[in-house]
Amino acid sequence: MSASRVMFVARHFWPHCAGRHETAAATFELTQRLANWGMQVEVVTPRHGNTWPTEITLGDVKVHRVAAAPRGDWSTQRYVRHLGHWLAERTPRLDAIVCDQLREECRAVTTAIQSGATDAGDGGVTVGVAMSGGWGDDSDETWCQHSRSGRRVLQSCSGLDAVVTDHAKTDRYLVSHGVPAERVCRRPVGFRRPVMVTNEQRMAARRSLRGINLDLTTDSDSRVLLWCGPMMGPASSDSGVGAMVQSARFLAARDQELRIWLLGDGKLRDWVHTELKAEGVRSVVAIPGSFSDMTEIWHSVDAVVLNEDSQLRFTFPETLAAGLPMIVADRPAAREYLQTHFDASILDSLAWYDPAKPSTLRKAFRSVWGDLEMAKQHAFELARDLARRHPMEQEWTFWQSVLRPPSNPNMPNPKTS
């Protein structure tokens, strides 16, 4: 039995991943996971630089960069038409096409599915799927509400076989805007079993990162606090990275061995550098940019600050899966996300802070740093419980049911994790 052939459509992909585009990081992880499970996965995405190659291979995933990235309304419409034609030409050899967000690309997928349905070389049918993800202000639902293209994107969903969602609020929104209820599918997100990082592995990861960027230099006694996300929003404590900048001097004063890593890129990057230098803490705060592979980062850090809705797409779930202590901004989206995985007693045990009161971030930091080893043990137990209640196998079963075309009713079992 041949493996299913799936094409993912993404506005952003490698190398713009963790710290730049959370959706790209989440899509990168998902495509690699599906490929490891036995699917033939490809990705189509635009080029964001003139020197970028038109085709690359990442692991077992082939990536096509078909055109320059759109930069405005007119170029977006042109890109969508070009993408629709490109997909239609390849539809006969594909079992499924998946758009990783509710964006203009959904219209291209619908066009390809409809125009290629009668041309499938093996007589099969290509499945069309869109993913509606994100939480709070970063959700695709919010984008549809505030974008001029939102209504047309929602209308195009009626021409797809499935719209994959993360929570009930999105389900209700899609159905109320004309998406047939039978095509809305809730995704059960799976979590991998956590693996305890040994001290030798931690030191090896830190040495490797120091070789990549001297800003990431640490010693055996250093304790690292991580923030990872797009450096966007207002140049003040109202942004996630701004809250970290404002508190950096106070946090560093409490622990001489503390190192703060601010991973990300965006329009605030220069402002972050200037503010940290003015505060006199640039030597203990690293701003190394974005990472496409976070494995060594997770092995190196001791705790993570999560204070942006955008982090809920990738950084938040990966922090949970890595079993790392979290300092969490008390926002509705974060509460809603965690309530889908934990009961109220566990939520209350986390280190929350009020994003409107910067001093509470420092208080939450002290609650974690005061007994960091106990916080790590608690986080690891939570990760193990999460993997037990939300195993990877249930996510694989879900994708089998969504991406399985009528002509390919059986697919191989995933590799043992």
Side-chain angles (χ1 to χ4, degrees):
M1 180 65 66
S2 62
S4 273
R5 301 154 298 180
V6 182
M7 180 73 74
F8 271 76
V9 180
R11 178 68 65 90
H12 297 280
F13 199 66
W14 187 93
H16 289 163
C17 288
R20 181 63 179 267
H21 297 290
E22 288 274 307
T23 303
T27 302
F28 179 80
E29 288 293 321
L30 176 59
T31 54
Q32 294 293 328
R33 194 157 65 241
L34 293 177
N36 289 338
W37 282 339
M39 292 187 185
Q40 294 181 9
V41 183
E42 300 179 46
V43 176
V44 58
T45 186
R47 295 191 306 275
H48 292 269
N50 293 332
T51 60
W52 287 21
T54 57
E55 286 191 358
I56 59 173
T57 299
L58 301 171
D60 295 323
V61 176
K62 186 175 183 180
V63 181
H64 310 269
R65 291 166 170 158
V66 297
R71 301 183 182 279
D73 290 344
W74 182 81
S75 61
T76 297
Q77 302 312 313
R78 184 178 62 178
Y79 175 71
V80 168
R81 287 193 299 270
H82 175 74
L83 179 61
H85 295 317
W86 188 92
L87 289 171
E89 292 174 355
R90 288 152 181 81
T91 294
R93 69 173 180 83
L94 297 172
D95 294 315
I97 304 176
V98 183
C99 189
D100 73 341
Q101 286 185 275
L102 282 189
R103 295 293 192 270
E104 291 92 345
E105 286 83 352
C106 288
R107 293 162 45 213
V109 175
T110 301
T111 298
I113 293 297
Q114 293 174 343
S115 64
T118 60
D119 299 328
D122 59 0
V125 176
T126 303
V127 175
V129 180
M131 298 175 64
S132 179
W135 301 73
D137 293 339
D138 182 62
S139 68
D140 293 339
E141 170 191 339
T142 300
W143 181 89
C144 287
Q145 291 173 347
H146 295 93
S147 172
R148 289 190 295 177
S149 301
R151 179 173 297 182
R152 284 187 293 175
V153 169
L154 290 170
Q155 290 172 345
S156 71
C157 290
S158 298
L160 300 175
D161 296 277
V163 181
V164 176
T165 65
D166 290 334
H167 49 93
K169 184 179 178 181
T170 299
D171 297 353
R172 293 190 294 269
Y173 174 79
L174 293 173
V175 172
S176 69
H177 285 75
V179 179
E182 64 274 11
R183 298 183 188 178
V184 177
C185 305
R186 186 82 59 81
R187 175 171 65 140
V189 178
F191 289 86
R192 65 182 181 274
R193 290 188 291 272
V195 178
M196 188 69 72
V197 178
T198 66
N199 187 60
E200 290 75 14
Q201 290 173 322
R202 184 181 307 280
M203 292 300 103
R206 290 184 175 184
R207 285 194 298 270
S208 176
L209 291 172
R210 181 179 59 200
I212 295 172
N213 190 318
L214 288 178
D215 263 8
L216 300 176
T217 298
T218 56
D219 56 42
S220 58
D221 296 325
S222 297
R223 301 198 288 185
V224 180
L225 181 66
L226 171 71
W227 181 91
C228 178
M231 292 185 175
M232 306 295 288
S236 69
S237 60
D238 292 335
S239 66
V241 70
M244 293 298 297
V245 170
Q246 181 171 345
S247 296
R249 178 166 58 89
F250 300 98
L251 300 182
R254 295 197 61 85
D255 185 351
Q256 298 302 312
E257 304 301 332
L258 174 67
R259 299 295 181 269
I260 301 173
W261 293 356
L262 304 180
L263 270 60
D265 285 296
K267 65 180 183 180
L268 291 184
R269 184 176 172 83
D270 290 341
W271 174 82
V272 169
H273 182 277
T274 301
E275 289 295 306
L276 291 174
K277 194 172 182 179
E279 290 285 339
V281 292
R282 181 65 183 87
S283 61
V284 299
V285 182
I287 45 175
S290 304
F291 279 71
S292 56
D293 186 342
M294 292 283 287
T295 303
E296 291 179 332
I297 296 293
W298 299 131
H299 285 178
S300 299
V301 303
D302 296 289
V304 185
V305 176
L306 299 158
N307 57 7
E308 290 271 16
D309 289 351
S310 63
Q311 292 172 319
L312 294 168
R313 290 187 185 263
F314 173 78
T315 302
F316 211 124
E318 289 297 308
T319 300
L320 285 172
L324 289 168
M326 300 180 296
I327 299 170
V328 188
D330 197 348
R331 298 181 185 275
R335 285 276 181 182
E336 188 176 11
Y337 175 85
L338 288 170
Q339 285 169 358
T340 65
H341 304 302
F342 300 114
D343 58 35
S345 62
I346 291 179
L347 263 63
D348 292 340
S349 71
L350 300 178
W352 295 91
Y353 81 92
D354 184 351
K357 299 177 181 178
S359 61
T360 60
L361 169 57
R362 304 191 280 274
K363 182 179 179 181
F365 169 79
R366 291 195 298 271
S367 71
V368 172
W369 237 246
D371 194 343
L372 186 56
E373 292 307 314
M374 181 62 72
K376 287 183 176 181
Q377 182 179 342
H378 177 65
F380 189 83
E381 291 298 325
L382 287 183
R384 190 157 55 183
D385 178 64
L386 194 63
R388 184 168 51 248
R389 290 185 293 107
H390 302 278
M392 279 291 186
E393 288 76 11
Q394 69 178 5
E395 183 175 354
W396 168 249
T397 300
F398 169 81
W399 285 115
Q400 279 185 306
S401 66
V402 170
L403 302 180
R404 180 175 55 228
S407 61
N408 186 13
N410 297 305
M411 290 196 289
N413 291 323
K415 299 177 183 179
T416 303
S417 59

